Amino acid sequence: MSDINFEIRGLDKLRTALKRAPALAVEEFGKAIQKSALTIQSNAIKEAPVNKATGGGNLRQNIRVTSMTKTRAVVTSKAPYSIFVEEGTSPHTIEVKSKRVLANKRTGQFFGKKVNHPGTRANPFMKRAVDKSKSLVESYFMTAMNKVLKSLT
């Protein structure tokens, strides 16, 4: 019986591409993660409510991309009340702790020593930001995947 030999043309190039693929994938998907985080941050700033009467924009100013790496990014709001805006609050009692009376210094209103707060409706600005960013985020990752796959050919 005689030997049958096959030659696969371009096998050396394929081997090189496959070895490069993990590093290229981390690089390309890292770019997609970073673009996605910045897109979500931008949309969150647009979606965050602002008190138009007083010109307050503290919530918007505290929306940041934190801990961005090639494999992870976090978009967060550092305003301590962000979660209450996002998820709302149930009715609750507010009582004086160190002052004589509860008051709003900005408006000059006085409320007394104890107030039954009716709660606040949720305003899920971060969720809306993610939802509005979805198609762009998908396109960033499709572009990254296509670049990685193209390098294999």
Side-chain angles (χ1 to χ4, degrees), residues 6-79:
F6 292 97
E7 179 184 337
I8 301 173
R9 292 185 193 156
L11 185 61
D12 55 333
K13 289 181 183 176
L14 180 60
R15 282 187 182 139
T16 302
L18 285 172
K19 285 179 184 175
R20 259 192 64 225
L24 181 62
V26 168
E27 180 182 332
E28 291 302 325
F29 285 107
K31 289 177 189 175
I33 288 169
Q34 291 174 355
K35 285 180 182 178
S36 297
L38 293 172
T39 298
I40 292 168
Q41 176 195 22
S42 176
N43 282 329
I45 289 169
K46 291 174 190 168
E47 289 297 320
V50 73
N51 186 338
K52 291 183 171 94
T54 62
N58 187 53
L59 186 61
R60 288 180 176 185
Q61 292 169 4
N62 277 284
I63 296 170
R64 300 271 185 267
V65 176
T66 59
S67 65
M68 188 168 359
T69 67
K70 288 192 181 233
T71 58
R72 179 177 185 263
V74 177
V75 180
T76 188
S77 175
K78 295 291 187 180

Side-chain angles (χ1 to χ4, degrees), residues 3-7:
D3 292 339
I4 300 174
N5 294 314
F6 292 97
E7 179 184 337

Side-chain angles (χ1 to χ4, degrees), residues 19-148:
K19 285 179 184 175
R20 259 192 64 225
L24 181 62
V26 168
E27 180 182 332
E28 291 302 325
F29 285 107
K31 289 177 189 175
I33 288 169
Q34 291 174 355
K35 285 180 182 178
S36 297
L38 293 172
T39 298
I40 292 168
Q41 176 195 22
S42 176
N43 282 329
I45 289 169
K46 291 174 190 168
E47 289 297 320
V50 73
N51 186 338
K52 291 183 171 94
T54 62
N58 187 53
L59 186 61
R60 288 180 176 185
Q61 292 169 4
N62 277 284
I63 296 170
R64 300 271 185 267
V65 176
T66 59
S67 65
M68 188 168 359
T69 67
K70 288 192 181 233
T71 58
R72 179 177 185 263
V74 177
V75 180
T76 188
S77 175
K78 295 291 187 180
Y81 56 88
S82 300
I83 192 72
F84 303 125
V85 174
E86 182 76 16
E87 296 180 0
T89 62
S90 57
H92 56 282
T93 302
I94 303 172
E95 294 185 48
V96 173
K97 290 198 176 137
S98 62
K99 304 284 181 183
R100 290 184 185 183
V101 68
L102 294 168
N104 183 335
K105 289 180 185 176
R106 197 175 33 192
T107 63
Q109 290 177 292
F110 291 91
F111 303 105
K113 292 184 181 274
K114 185 176 172 181
V115 174
N116 292 319
H117 192 284
T120 55
R121 192 175 323 151
N123 185 344
F125 65 97
M126 289 296 257
K127 182 184 181 320
R128 285 194 309 272
V130 170
D131 291 344
K132 285 187 174 187
S133 303
K134 214 172 252 185
S135 63
L136 265 179
V137 169
E138 286 173 358
S139 74
Y140 299 148
F141 281 90
M142 285 301 294
T143 299
M145 185 175 65
N146 288 333
K147 283 184 179 180
V148 172

